[in-house]
Each structure stands twice: as structure tokens, then as C-alpha cells.
């Protein structure tokens, strides 16, 4: 690409017009916009000395296609310029530069010519905005804008009084224009004048000020000397290359407005408010010495303001703090290390509270309690979101300027014992975040930055400072240093680049002080809790060192409980990597001794951590636990379960949860091995069955320790015990029933509600596991008692009874007689639903289970619900229409109503049709309610109501299908109204899009009449990357609509494809969007058939690129993503093949080989998902059907094709749909290979 200087534009209007008229594209898509934007950006980056913003957007709708900066240094004012230039281009249909030349740059003449008035500030007649035209289309298709070049190098940002409600930019240097414009905007009846001296009442220091300013002050004042009363505020825009920018400052004391050089107005800088520098800065400003300083006395206030050079003041303060000459080698400029350092500290001050809150301590470090909650104090300070975001941007900018310097500065601040604790913590977390990410691809990117961009000496310095900080008396600084060390260890240990780390940490634990021991053990835990496969494999080689450190710290001989707690936590994290040690009986015995002794330490944290270790040991090393269960663990865990401390009791209970889960899994696996006749049986000790007689009674006693004030999401020992009892029932089976029944009978009528509640809950807990034949008679006996408990005095008992009925309905519906017991249950549950919001969730869940289980076959004429359908709908409508009803109850009732609609039999469809009138009418009534919202709570409540009603409309549509036609206009009208009024981040559009998709499916091609009204909202959602959930819904909706409209969707497909391709390449959306987008390509292709030829080459290239993504990482989330991606690729090819099969199959020829390459990859993956296998079968069969003349017979002779089909067809876990697809694919392959001699795969 050329890097020659950017040429000068034409100088006259005719030449400009000729140039513009020559700029006509043959077509202009999002791809074109991206290529054009990148070309301009690269050219500016190479040729323009100053940073600029490049923006490309469609003219209608106003949709952004490209927005990027040529280099660091732009700010939000560039975006303001972009908007103003864009608006100029769209209104006058020419470039903004042409408008500039037309009026000679005279903005006043421009504004007067078009009578713009106060709107003048919304337009800009400066070069940079250019229209995009396309052959055969009238008008402007798009606008390209560049902001940041010569004509706006310097500017003032005027922010006027709020009631003026607009903002504009004014070029500096045009003093006359500034005065005239301000006069006009402020509606001043008296002209403003430029004066070169101060008013007599404010001249005391004018000579000194004028000397320092090297020129007269610019004063804007009325001739009578009275300041303009409408003056609000004018803030200078800072620009790197301009030291003559003007600062206008509002005064409320009668003095005239003063103007200083911006760089000399230190008092306004954020550094003045910084806790690290602020005190010294304040003292410094009161000194009378220093030739570079200017004193200005406000007579009315008695304040002394000192305006000094920013760099001089900061240099002086830093030299005082760091010692003489501490900054002598730094060059002071805008992006100097000195300035970056100061900005970073300001950012750390703003971001530290968030960092602290997001990273609670793993142990009792600093201000963090043992329960993981941050105490009130420094660590819990609240920070305004905008301040925090600005701080994060500052840190990001500092990293971009000089990444090595950024790391070095942070590391020094982390190790600085004189710095404030929260600053040190934030510095450590910023270091850790520089090399951490939740997304695998991003994680690898930031790790590569450390590997390739940082000098070896800098790496060593930063790591040494972090290790040094581990010994700090500030525990939180040590903890954040440990997080950073772990993030670097994840990079270097697999590369064998930090072999001395583990030895150093072990030495710290053996010989260091208490703080160093604790922080080192915590660091080991951070390193070991990784999911990275390469790091896990590498850590196995350090197992002896790791185990030496953690066991030494966890022994009962360790007197410091903080150190011992950190060691127990680290031991839990490293259990995966010490398998070789655990295989050694002697080492295993010692580890188990240390952990068991820790359960009796007397420290709640250590005891809880020890039981947590036992949980993990049982899950990892079940086959080696028989000896320890018999000798110690049965007794220890029962003692722990009875511990009065909730944290200890819960983890002791969870030990038995782990035992049960492990044994349930072993039994399932062994049954599969027996059925298959291959594989190895796992050792099965039946620990749960052996211990049930002792453990189950303890669990049921713990269930009586309910907290009546506990929230639904609280997890306490009572709820842990209930969960464990459920698992025991599954692991032990019918043997548990007598023990539980004894407890139930003894406590069901007890005066203490805690015991009644435990009895009801215990009965519901054993509904899964024991044999159905054993449970059914018990359930029939219990149902009347449970319905009676729905009227218990205690709400907790009523709620548990409803939940128990829900479990019975879900797991043992056969025990409920539809003629005698179902009516009574429905009546009792509706009574409970209306009685108290606290039990609404359980009642609704039970009712929904009943509706699902008694619905009969899909499309049946009648079912067990039919006699109760009208009454149930009436009752639910009555509950939801009460004005005083709790909103939680209302939402729950709507959810039940939707379930009943979904499961309505054919004989209830007339009722559903009538119900549609009620639901739609209620939805219509919510529109005027939007104007009555006065609080956030009101808005959320209204959105919940609208979402529930819209979901009801969707269920009605899906149940009535084509019979919804008479209501379609009314439904779409209300949905469009709600979309028009929905606010940002609202949950309502998601439900609306779902309902719209349902309506499109029901109406099929008749839906096309709503497209012109609806599609702008769909486009907006597709392009709304700030709301990923809505964007995801929109992608799915494109699939629904195109499938419904078939070829009638073709007029909208250009836009659909542009948005989808734009989202596919977006870095803002997560990878999880890509499979759905690829699948959508297939749906579009299948809908429009041969017309998809227009997009074939682009989409095929995308699919080929996506097929190259492999699951080289063993990270589970990435493997799942690759599997989903391949499913999307296969679905896309399937749709494309079907489309091209209609007379254009030969267009697929260039891509056949790559399709078979992907199929080969799928065949080699023996863990492929069922959807992927089914899609692969579809592609194999469709491709064979598309080329009946056996053009690609050689591919079909490959053995792996035959094996892939066979494995899919014979997989007993796959559904009938998948196996039938495999059989069909086999038949297609047979037709291809019949009577032909193929080649064998090499």
C-alpha cells in the first residue's frame, strides 16, 4: 500500500463536484465498507501524523458499518465531528468539504443562508465527510467520514446551559466568530466585545498573568462590564499540538471570565484529586516560590490559585517522593513514562474498589472475612460506574503506549510498601488481568504478548518484584501478587521458562516469615486451580515440590492458623496433580492423616477446608478410599455434619453427596459395560448403602434446622441435607424407605413446624431411586396428607408440601389417578397458589408438572386435563388480574397458564381461541401504562407483565397454528407498538421476537405483509452488538422468517446477509454466535433456493475458514464451541446443497473436496455429538443426491464414510430421527457406488 503523503483536495467547487460524481460504486455492502474503511485507516496510519477516526455507515437505516481509529490519541470529540459531518452530507447530498468551499469556511454565512438558527451546531462544513453512491440507485447509499485531520486540529467544545439542549464545536483562532456565535447562542441583546485588559475590579494581578501568558487575555464581556447572566460553562478541548487553547471559566462572584493557557491550569486536573498526590499537590500550590508559577488571587473568596506547568509540578512531587533525581532521566511529554505513571495511579485509585470486590480473598487476608465477604472499609468502597470505566480506559491506553513500561510501573507500585493498600491491590490485579481472559482465544492472545513483546530483563524484573511482594505485611497485596505470579506461571511453566518458581515457593513455605508462607501457599493454590491442559500436565512434574510445601503448611504442628488455612486450600487445588504420590501408600497415608487431623483443628475455616479436601479426594481417588472410610471417615464426617458451624456442617454433608454421586455414576458405568460386553468394571464399595443407617437419620435431623428468614437462593445446612437425602435415595434405592418413613410418621404432626417441614420434605426427597412399585402405594396414602399440609399454619410447610407434590407429579405421575386424585390436586394447588406468594413457585411447578404429565399424545383429541381446562384458565386469569396481587405471584400464574395452553388437547382449542382475545387485550392495555412509569421498579414490573403476556401470545399461536390468522393483524400491531416504545436493555424485545417467529411459522408466506413494518426492528437488533441476547434472538428469527417466507424472503436477504457477515467478523460478539450464524446461512439458502448463488462464494469461503478451527485445546468450553461450530457448518452446507441442487449443482464443484475433508475430521472424532452426526449424515446424503451421475463416487468409496454411517446408524443412544437419517444416507451412498470400482483411501 502506498505511504506517500495524502494529496491536496481540489480548490474550486466545480473540480470538487467532478471528483465526487466520479466516485460511484457498482455495489456497496458491509464487506465493501469494511475494505474501504481498512484501506483509509491504513493510509492514514502511514501518512497522517495525527490520529483520526474513520467511520462508514449506511444512509438509511442509520447503521454503523465500520468505525476505527488510525492510531492512539483520538477522543469522543472525534465522534461528535463524525456525527456533524455525516449530517451535513446527508442533508445537502455532497461532501462536507464542498460545503466548506462553498461558504469559504464562514459558518455564520452558512447558518444564515439555510436559516439554521440553533440547529447550526448540528452540522459541520469542514472536510472529511463524503457521500457514497451506487450505480442504478438514486440518492446516497452510505457516508464515509474522517475526523482528526487539519481542519479540526484545535477546537473548543462549548457546552451550553441544559435548556439549550445542544452542543457544538468552534475552531480556535477565530475570535470574532467565537464572540458572534456565543452572542447568538446566548440570545444576548447586547453585543459581546473582545477586551485586552481586565475589568478595574479584577486587575490586581493582571500584569503578572499577562507576562506569564506572553500576551493579552481574551475577555468576553458586555460593554457595561456586567457578565452575561446566561453564561453557563465552556470547557476547553485538550489537544496535544496546541498550547494556545483557551479555558473559559464560569464565575459566580461578579468577576470577569478569565482565560489561561490550558496546560497551566493544573487545578482542574484529576491529579489534584488523587489521594496519592493530592495532599502534596495542595501543599505545593500554596508555596510562593518557583519561577514557572503564577499566582492569581480571588479577592472575593480569599483563595490562592497557582497555575503551574503540569509537568513541572508532577516532576517536583515525584522527585520529593522518590528522592532526588528519581525522575531525572524521563523526558516530559504527553505520553512520557512520567505522565503515564501519574495517569495510571489515578486510574488505579478509581478502579481499585471494583478490583477488590471482584477478587475476594481465598483466606483471611487483609480486610476479607473468612466467609469471602469484603468488610466495610477500603476494600468495599463504591465507585461510580463511569469513573471506573474511565479508569479502565486510562489503564488500557497506558498499556498501549508502552506495555513494558506499563508492567514495570504496576510491578513497582505493587511492591511499594509505602503505597496505600488498595492501590497496591489494584496494581496486582491489573497485572494479572493483563494476562488473563475467560475466552480461550483471547487468553492465548494476551499470553503471546508476554512471550513475544516483553524483554527478558523486564520479565525478570517484574517477576522478581511480584515474588518480593509475597512477603509483604499487606496481605491483600501479597494475594494479588500471587494472582499475577499464577498468570505468568500458566505461560512459562509449560514452556520450561520458570523452573525455579516452584522451588522458590517451597523455600518460602519452609523458611519464610508468616506472611511469606501464607502468600506462597495461596500462590501455589492459584497456579494449581487451572483448567489449562498443558499447564496441568506440566504441574504433574512438580508434584513432589507442591506436595512438600502444602503438607508442611497444613500439618497440625503449624501454629499459625492463617498459614495452615492457606495450605489446606492449596492442597485442595493441587489434588489433581499428585496422583503419583497418591498411588504411593506411604505418601497417601500421610496426606490423609494431615487432612483428617485438620478436620479437628478447632478453626472453622481449616475444618471446612479439610472437609472440602475430603470431598475432592473421594471424587478423584474413590478406588483407594475403602481403608480410610472404615478407619476414620465414617465417624469423622458424622461428627462434622453435627458441627454447629454451618460452613463445617455443609461441607461434611457434601462429602456424602460426593460419595453418592460417585457410586451412582459407577453403577451406571458398570451396567453399560455389562450390556456392551466390553470394558472394565470399576470397583464399587457401596459406601452409601453401608453408611445409610447412620448417615440418613443425621441428614433428616439437619433438615429440621431450617432458617425461616432464608432467601430462596441461600444454601444452608438444611438444604444441603435435603439434597444429600435425594442422592442417598438414588444411590441406595428402596432400602432407604423404611428409615425415612419412620422419621416422617414421627414428625408429620409435630407441634414444631421445623419438624413437620422436615417430614414433608423427606418424603418428597425419596421419590427418585426406590422402585416405583414400592413407592406407588405409599404415594397414594400420602397424597391426602400432603394436600392437607397445603393448608398448614406454617408457610414453610405449605411450600414444602407443594414441592413434594411437584416431585410426585414429575417422577411418579402413574401414582395419581386422573379421575379421583387429579381434580383434588389441581383444586388444592390452585388454592395454595392464591394463598401466599412465598409458595407460588412450588405450586406453579407442581401444576406445570401435572399439565405436562397428563397432556397425552401431541395433537390428541382429549386428555385428562380437558375437564379441568376451563376452570384452570379462569382461576389463573382471576389471580393475574387482581391489582393488589404480588407481582411474583402474577408472573408464576402466567407461567402456569402458558403451560396449560401448550398442553391443551384439541377439544380445548375453542377455549384457547377465546383466551387469545383476553391475552391480547391485556397486552394492549400495557401500552398506556408505559407513560405511568415513575421508577425503575415500575419499569421492571411492567416489562415482566409484558414479557409474560407476550409469551402467552406465543403459546397460543403455536397451539392454534394457522387458525391464528384472524388475530394476526391485531397481534402484529401490538408487537410493533411495544417494539417502538421498548427502552434499551429491555427484556421485552426478546419475547416479542419469539412471538413474531411463532407467528411467521404459523402464517408462512402470508407473513410477508408485515415485513416492511417489522424488518427495521429486526435490522436494528441484528446490528445491536451491545445487547448480545437480543442480537442472538434476531439471528434465530432470521432463520424462522426465511424458512416461513421461502422465496418471498429474497428482497430482504441482502441486508440479512450483510448483518450476519458483519456479526460473524465482529470482535464484540462471543464465538458462541458463530454456529448460529452459519446455520442461518443454510436456512436462507434453503429458503431462496438457486437465488443463493449471489452469496455462495462468500459463504463458502467463510465455511472453509471455519472448518479449519480445531479443538487442539482440551479446554471443555473450547471443545464444545468447535463441536457447535462444525454443527453450524454442516447445517449451512446442507441448506446450500439443497438450494443449488435445483439446477445449479455444478456451482458446488470447487467446494466438494473441502466438504469431504470436514466430514473426514468429523469421522475421526469419536466423541461427536448427535446433532453433528445427524448433520453429517444429511450432508453425505444431500451431496450424493445433488450429483446423481456419480461425479464424486471415489469419495464415497472411502472406508471412513461407510464407518461413519454405520456408527451413527447403530448408536443406541441416538434418536430415531438420527438413525433414520443415517439409513437414508446409506441408501444414497449405495446408489453412488453401485457397479463402480472406487479407489481406496491412501
Amino acid at each position: 500500500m502506498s505511504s506517500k503523503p495524502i494529496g491536496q483536495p481540489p480548490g474550486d467547487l466545480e473540480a470538487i463536484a467532478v471528483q465526487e460524481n466520479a466516485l460511484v460504486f457498482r455495489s456497496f455492502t458491509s464487506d465493501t465498507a469494511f475494505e474501504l474503511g481498512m484501506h483509509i485507516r491504513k493510509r492514514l496510519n502511514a501518512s497522517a501524523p495525527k490520529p483520526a477516526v474513520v467511520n462508514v455507515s449506511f444512509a438509511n437505516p442509520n447503521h454503523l458499518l465500520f468505525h476505527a481509529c488510525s492510531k492512539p490519541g483520538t477522543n469522543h470529540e472525534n465522534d461528535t465531528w463524525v456525527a456533524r459531518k455525516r449530517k451535513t452530507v446527508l442533508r445537502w447530498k455532497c461532501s462536507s468539504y464542498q460545503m466548506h468551499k462553498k461558504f469559504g469556511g464562514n459558518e455564520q454565512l452558512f447558518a444564515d443562508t439555510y436559516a439554521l438558527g440553533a440547529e447550526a451546531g448540528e452540522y459541520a462544513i469542514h472536510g472529511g465527510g463524503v457521500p457514497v453512491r451506487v450505480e442504478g440507485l438514486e440518492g446516497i447509499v452510505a457516508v464515509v467520514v474522517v475526523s482528526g485531520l487539519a481542519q479540526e486540529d484545535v477546537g473548543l467544545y462549548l457546552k451550553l446551559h441544559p435548556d439549550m439542549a445542544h452542543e457544538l464545536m468552534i475552531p480556535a483562532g477565530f475570535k470574532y466568530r467565537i464572540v458572534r456565535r456565543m452572542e447568538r447562542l446566548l440570545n444576548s441583546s447586547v453585543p459581546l466585545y473582545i477586551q485586552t485588559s481586565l475589568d478595574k475590579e479584577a486587575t490586581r494581578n493582571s500584569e503578572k498573568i499577562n507576562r506569564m501568558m506572553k500576551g493579552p487575555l481574551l475577555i468576553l464581556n458586555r460593554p457595561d462590564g456586567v457578565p452575561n447572566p446566561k453564561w453557563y460553562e465552556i470547557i476547553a478541548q485538550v489537544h496535544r499540538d496546541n498550547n494556545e487553547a483557551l479555558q473559559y471559566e464560569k464565575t459566580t462572584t461578579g468577576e470577569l471570565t478569565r482565560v489561561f493557557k490550558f496546560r497551566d491550569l493544573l487545578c482542574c486536573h484529576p491529579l489534584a484529586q488523587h489521594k496519592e498526590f493530592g495532599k502534596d499537590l495542595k501543599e505545593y500550590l500554596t508555596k510562593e516560590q518557583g519561577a514557572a508559577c503564577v499566582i492569581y488571587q480571588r479577592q472575593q473568596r480569599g483563595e490562592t490559585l497557582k497555575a503551574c506547568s503540569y509537568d513541572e509540578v508532577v516532576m517536583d512531587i515525584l522527585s520529593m517522593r522518590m528522592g532526588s533525581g528519581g525522575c531525572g532521566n524521563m523526558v516530559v511529554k504527553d505520553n512520557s513514562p512520567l505522565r503515564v505513571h501519574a495517569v495510571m495511579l489515578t486510574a488505579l485509585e478509581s478502579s481499585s474498589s471494583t478490583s477488590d470486590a471482584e477478587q475476594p480473598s481465598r483466606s483471611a487476608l487483609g480486610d476479607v472475612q473468612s466467609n469471602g465477604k469484603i468488610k466495610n472499609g477500603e476494600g468495599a468502597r463504591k465507585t461510580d460506574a463511569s469513573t471506573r470505566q474511565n479508569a479502565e480506559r486510562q489503564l488500557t491506553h497506558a498499556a498501549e503506549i508502552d506495555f513494558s513500561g506499563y508492567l514495570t510501573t504496576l510491578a513497582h507500585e505493587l511492591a511499594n510498601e509505602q503505597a496505600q493498600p488498595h492501590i497496591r491491590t489494584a496494581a496486582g490485579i491489573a497485572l494479572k488481568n493483563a494476562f488473563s481472559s475467560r475466552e480461550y482465544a483471547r487468553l492465548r492472545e494476551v499470553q503471546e504478548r508476554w512471550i513475544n513483546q516483553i524483554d527478558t530483563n523486564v520479565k525478570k524484573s517484574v517477576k522478581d518484584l511480584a515474588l518480593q511482594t509475597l512477603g509483604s505485611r499487606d496481605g491483600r497485596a501479597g494475594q494479588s501478587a500471587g494472582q499475577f505470579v499464577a498468570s505468568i506461571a500458566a505461560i512459562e511453566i509449560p514452556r520450561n521458562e520458570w523452573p525455579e518458581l516452584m522451588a522458590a515457593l517451597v523455600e518460602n513455605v519452609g523458611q519464610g516469615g508468616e506472611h511469606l508462607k501464607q502468600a506462597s501457599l495461596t500462590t501455589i493454590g492459584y497456579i494449581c486451580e487451572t483448567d489449562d491442559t498443558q499447564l496441568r500436565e506440566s504441574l504433574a512434574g512438580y508434584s513432589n515440590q507442591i506436595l512438600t510445601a502444602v503438607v508442611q503448611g497444613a500439618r497440625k504442628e503449624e501454629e499459625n492458623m492463617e498459614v495452615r488455612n492457606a495450605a489446606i486450600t492449596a492442597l485442595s487445588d493441587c489434588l489433581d496433580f499428585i496422583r503419583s504420590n497418591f498411588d504411593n501408600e506411604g505418601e497417601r497415608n500421610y496426606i490423609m492423616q494431615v487432612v483428617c487431623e485438620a478436620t479437628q483443628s478447632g478453626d472453622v475455616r481449616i475444618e471446612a477446608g479439610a472437609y472440602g479436601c475430603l470431598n475432592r479426594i473421594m471424587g478423584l481417588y474413590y478406588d483407594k478410599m475403602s481403608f480410610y472410610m472404615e478407619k476414620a471417615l465414617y465417624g469423622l464426617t458424622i461428627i462434622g455434619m453435627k458441627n454447629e458451624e454451618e460452613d463445617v456442617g455443609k461441607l461434611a454433608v457434601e462429602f456424602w453427596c460426593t460419595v453418592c454421586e460417585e457410586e451412582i455414576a459407577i453403577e451406571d458405568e458398570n451396567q453399560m459395560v455389562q450390556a456392551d460386553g466390553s470394558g472394565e468394571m470399576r470397583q464399587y464399595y457401596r459406601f452409601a448403602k453401608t453408611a445409610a443407617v447412620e448417615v440418613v437419620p443425621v441428614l433428616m435431623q439437619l433438615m429440621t434446622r431450617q432458617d425461616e428468614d432464608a432467601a430462596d437462593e441461600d444454601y444452608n445446612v438444611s438444604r444441603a441435607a435435603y439434597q444429600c437425602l435425594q442422592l442417598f435415595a438414588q444411590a441406595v434405592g428402596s432400602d432407604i424407605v423404611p428409615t425415612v418413613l419412620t422419621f416422617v410418621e414421627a414428625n408429620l404432626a409435630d407441634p414444631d413446624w421445623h419438624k413437620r417441614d422436615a417430614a414433608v420434605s423427606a418424603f418428597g426427597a425419596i421419590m427418585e431411586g426406590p422402585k416405583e412399585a414400592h413407592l406407588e402405594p405409599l404415594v397414594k396414602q400420602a397424597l391426602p396428607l400432603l394436600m392437607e399440609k397445603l393448608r398448614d399454619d406454617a408457610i414453610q410447610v405449605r411450600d414444602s408440601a407443594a414441592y413434594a407434590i411437584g416431585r410426585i407429579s414429575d417422577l411418579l405421575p402413574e401414582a395419581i389417578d386422573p379421575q379421583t386424585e387429579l381434580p383434588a390436586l389441581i383444586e388444592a394447588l390452585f388454592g395454595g397458589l392464591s394463598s401466599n406468594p412465598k409458595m407460588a413457585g412450588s405450586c406453579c411447578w407442581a401444576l406445570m408438572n401435572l399439565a405436562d404429565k397428563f397432556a397425552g399424545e401431541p395433537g390428541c383429541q382429549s386428555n385428562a386435563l380437558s375437564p379441568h381446562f376451563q376452570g384452570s384458565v379462569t382461576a389463573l386469569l382471576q389471580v393475574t388480574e387482581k391489582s393488589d396481587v404480588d407481582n411474583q405471584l402474577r408472573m408464576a400464574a402466567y407461567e402456569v397458564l402458558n403451560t396449560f395452553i401448550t398442553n391443551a388437547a384439541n377439544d380445548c382449542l375453542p377455549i384457547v381461541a377465546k383466551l387469545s382475545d383476553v391475552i391480547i387485550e391485556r397486552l394492549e392495555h400495557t401500552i398506556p401504562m408505559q407513560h405511568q412509569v415513575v421508577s425503575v421498579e415500575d419499569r421492571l414490573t411492567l416489562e415482566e407483565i409484558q414479557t409474560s403476556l407476550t409469551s402467552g401470545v406465543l403459546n397460543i399461536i403455536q397451539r392454534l397454528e394457522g387458525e391464528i390468522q384472524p388475530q394476526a393483524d391485531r397481534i402484529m400491531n401490538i408487537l410493533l407498538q411495544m417494539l417502538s416504545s421498548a427502552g434499551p436493555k429491555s427484556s421485552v424485545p426478546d419475547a416479542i421476537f419469539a412471538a413474531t417467529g411463532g407467528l411467521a411459522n404459523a402464517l408462512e408466506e402470508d407473513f410477508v405483509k408485515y415485513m416492511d413494518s417489522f424488518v427495521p426492528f429486526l435490522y436494528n437488533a441484528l446490528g445491536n452488538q451491545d445487547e448480545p441476547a437480543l442480537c442472538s434472538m434476531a439471528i434465530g428469527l432470521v432463520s424462522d422468517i426465511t424458512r416461513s417466507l421461502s422465496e418471498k424472503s429474497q428482497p430482504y436477504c441482502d441486508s440479512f446477509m450483510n448483518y450476519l457477515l458483519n456479526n460473524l467478523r465482529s470482535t464484540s460478539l462471543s464465538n458462541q454466535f458463530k454456529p448460529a450464524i452459519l446455520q442461518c446461512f443454510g436456512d436462507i439458502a434453503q429458503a431462496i433456493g438457486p437465488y443463493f448463488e449471489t452469496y455462495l462464494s462468500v459463504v463458502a469461503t467463510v465455511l472453509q475458514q471455519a472448518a479449519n478451527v480445531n479443538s487442539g485445546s482440551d479446554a471443555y468450553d473450547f471443545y464444545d464451541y468447535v463441536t457447535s461450530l462444525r454443527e453450524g457448518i454442516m447445517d449451512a452446507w446442507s441448506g446450500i446443497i439443497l438450494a443449488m441442487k435445483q439446477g445449479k449443482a455444478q456451482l458446488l464443484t470447487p467446494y466438494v473436496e473441502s466438504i469431504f475433508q470436514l466430514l473426514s475430521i468429523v469421522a475421526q472424532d469419536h466423541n461427536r455429538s448427535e446433532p453433528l452426526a445427524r448433520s453429517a449424515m444429511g450432508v453425505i446424503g444431500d451431496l450424493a443426491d445433488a450429483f446423481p451421475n456419480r461425479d464424486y463416487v471415489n469419495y464415497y468409496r472411502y472406508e471412513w464414510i461407510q464407518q461413519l454411517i454405520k456408527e451413527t446408524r447403530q448408536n443406541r443412544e441416538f434418536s430415531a430421527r438420527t438413525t433414520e437419517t443415517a439409513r437414508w444416507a446409506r441408501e444414497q451412498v449405495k446408489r453412488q457406488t453401485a457397479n463402480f470400482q472406487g479407489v481406496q483411501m491412501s
Side-chain angles (χ1 to χ4, degrees), residues 18 24 29 38 205 212 216 388 391 485 532 681 694 710 775 840 847 856 861-862 873 888 1086 1132-1133 1182 1190:
V18 170
V24 179
T29 66
M38 287 300 297
N205 293 301
M212 295 306 303
R388 181 176 69 250
V485 169
D532 186 281
M681 300 276 286
E694 298 289 339
L775 289 176
L847 285 166
Q861 181 59 31
S862 184
V873 167
Q888 180 183 355
Q1086 196 167 347
W1133 277 124
D1182 289 335
R1190 302 177 174 88

Side-chain angles (χ1 to χ4, degrees), residues 911-965:
I911 302 174
V912 175
K914 292 181 181 179
L915 179 61
S916 66
D917 284 322
V918 178
I919 299 299
I920 295 170
E921 183 178 354
R922 289 189 179 186
L923 202 50
E924 289 170 339
H925 288 165
T926 65
I927 299 299
M929 293 170 62
Q930 293 172 334
H931 304 294
Q932 302 170 17
V933 171
V934 295
S935 67
V936 174
E937 184 178 356
D938 288 346
R939 178 177 59 81
L940 293 176
T941 299
L942 178 59
E943 287 184 357
E944 287 178 347
I945 294 172
Q946 289 183 325
T947 300
S948 295
L949 289 169
T950 306
S951 298
V953 170
L954 171 60
N955 284 291
I956 291 171
I957 292 170
Q958 290 175 333
R959 194 63 195 89
L960 295 180
E961 297 179 333
E963 295 180 18
I964 197 65
Q965 178 78 53

Side-chain angles (χ1 to χ4, degrees), residues 528-541 576-577:
C528 291
E529 67 181 3
T530 180
D531 290 328
D532 186 281
T533 304
Q534 291 181 337
L535 179 56
R536 291 163 69 94
E537 292 174 352
S538 299
L539 287 174
D576 282 345
F577 315 116

Side-chain angles (χ1 to χ4, degrees), residues 579-596:
R579 183 169 295 275
S580 60
N581 306 87
F582 227 82
D583 288 339
N584 182 295
E585 183 179 359
E587 294 185 43
R588 182 171 70 246
N589 288 340
Y590 188 54
I591 295 170
M592 292 301 296
Q593 177 186 335
V594 169
V595 176
C596 289

